[in-house]
Amino acid sequence: MRTSRPVLAAAAALAVLAVLGCGSSSSSGSGASTGGSSGTAASGGGSAPAAVNTAATTGSAARAATSKLRLSADPGGALRFNRSKLTAKAGRVTITMANPSSSGIPHAVAVEGHGVDRDGPTAGPGRTSTVSVRLKPGTYTFYCPVDGHRQAGMRGTLVVR
């Protein structure tokens, strides 16, 4: 059976789009990227996907990266996140924190450092809090801005490269 060139070209294009559309994550705790230049990983434990990075290009100019990071409040109600370190590429960084129903208390997520201080909304048990901010390379702090939570240890380090 003979396959036409347009069919082969379409199949190849779909395969490329499928590969480019996939983000990467790493639960190895190394912070190393496993998906080439378009993926980052968060470290600090846990096996849930922690980051998905995408970088779009138009012609020869690349647009700023977008990093989508995920973390969770402690399901047992302890004042801590499931990760103490996150890594992202410079550009738009969005952190979504899940507050498990079993936590029993409200939490939120915030980012601070290098002139940035942005808080996400407070989320009750079973909800999420999201903060999105444009970041330059450097080290930032992510934390829970609910009164007393940061001071009790609900914070971590965000490294932006």
Side-chain angles (χ1 to χ4, degrees):
M1 178 157 110
R2 184 175 173 173
T3 306
S4 67
R5 285 188 181 183
V7 172
L8 288 175
L14 286 174
V16 168
L17 288 174
V19 169
L20 290 177
C22 293
S24 69
S25 66
S26 171
S27 60
S28 67
S30 67
S33 175
T34 59
S37 64
S38 67
T40 64
S43 62
S47 60
V52 176
N53 254 353
T54 57
T57 58
T58 304
S60 62
R63 293 185 186 178
T66 299
S67 297
K68 295 182 180 183
L69 309 174
R70 298 190 185 282
L71 71 153
S72 176
D74 184 76
L79 297 180
R80 66 178 181 223
F81 292 114
N82 67 327
R83 302 178 187 286
S84 60
K85 185 175 180 184
L86 298 172
T87 304
K89 287 188 178 182
R92 174 69 54 194
V93 177
T94 301
I95 302 173
T96 301
M97 182 225 45
N99 185 9
S101 297
S102 60
S103 76
I105 54 177
H107 292 295
V109 64
V111 176
E112 179 181 85
H114 302 283
V116 172
D117 189 1
R118 179 89 41 98
D119 295 7
T122 300
R127 303 284 204 181
T128 60
S129 177
T130 300
V131 64
S132 186
V133 63
R134 185 165 297 282
L135 299 175
K136 295 179 180 179
T139 301
Y140 299 81
T141 299
F142 67 91
Y143 64 96
C144 179
V146 173
D147 287 342
H149 290 203
R150 180 181 187 173
Q151 295 79 1
M154 199 166 183
R155 62 185 175 273
T157 302
L158 169 61
V159 177
V160 178
R161 296 186 175 135

